Amino acid sequence: MSMDYREYILDHYRDPRNYGTLEHPDVHCEDSNPLCGDQLGMDLQIEGDRVTEVRIQGRGCAISQASASMLSEMIEGKTLEEVIALGKEDVLEALGIPISPARTKCAFLGLRVLHRGLAIAGLEQPQEDEDE
């Protein structure tokens, strides 16, 4: 693993972007990874067809929390169409390192919370859960 990417991941873990909650979010979802105890909540504010604000809150390993922080930066200001199109490859690209099969649930927790929240709010068709 490259030192630069390790430092980048640790920076997002230690100082997560968009950390906190929104007072009246249009979308809210929480989920956890029971295998390792990672927890994540995400709030979205949506105006028109655009995500205008994102807040995340949670606890867990560096990979789960850093990937959620990176994802929050990726989606703020994007259209719903762009956000709905985000997938696992986008998260892996943002992390910039290979993720072992044992850590994929950690890496994709933020993405799962995002898509479930959009589905619960009626903004996205529910996705089938896959083994990550």
Side-chain angles (χ1 to χ4, degrees), residues 29-114:
C29 189
E30 296 177 18
D31 202 356
S32 64
N33 178 356
L35 297 176
C36 65
D38 295 334
Q39 298 178 344
L40 184 69
M42 186 178 292
D43 293 341
L44 304 178
Q45 196 69 50
I46 298 172
E47 293 180 21
D49 74 337
R50 194 165 296 275
V51 176
T52 57
E53 286 186 84
V54 181
R55 294 294 180 271
I56 59 168
Q57 65 282 338
R59 62 184 175 153
C61 72
I63 294 294
S64 73
Q65 301 306 297
S67 65
S69 173
M70 292 173 195
L71 185 63
S72 77
E73 288 187 318
M74 292 167 60
I75 64 177
E76 195 164 64
K78 299 282 193 241
T79 65
L80 286 172
E81 184 177 342
E82 292 170 314
V83 172
I84 290 167
L86 288 173
K88 295 175 183 178
E89 290 303 317
D90 299 299
V91 172
L92 293 175
E93 185 177 322
L95 284 169
I97 59 167
I99 300 295
S100 70
R103 301 301 301 270
T104 57
K105 286 196 182 291
C106 303
F108 300 141
L109 179 59
L111 189 65
R112 188 170 69 232
V113 169
L114 171 65

Side-chain angles (χ1 to χ4, degrees), residues 7-17 19 59-67 69-70:
E7 288 303 316
Y8 183 62
I9 289 168
L10 288 174
D11 180 52
H12 272 272
Y13 175 65
R14 291 180 184 133
D15 183 23
R17 301 344 178 243
Y19 194 84
R59 62 184 175 153
C61 72
I63 294 294
S64 73
Q65 301 306 297
S67 65
S69 173
M70 292 173 195

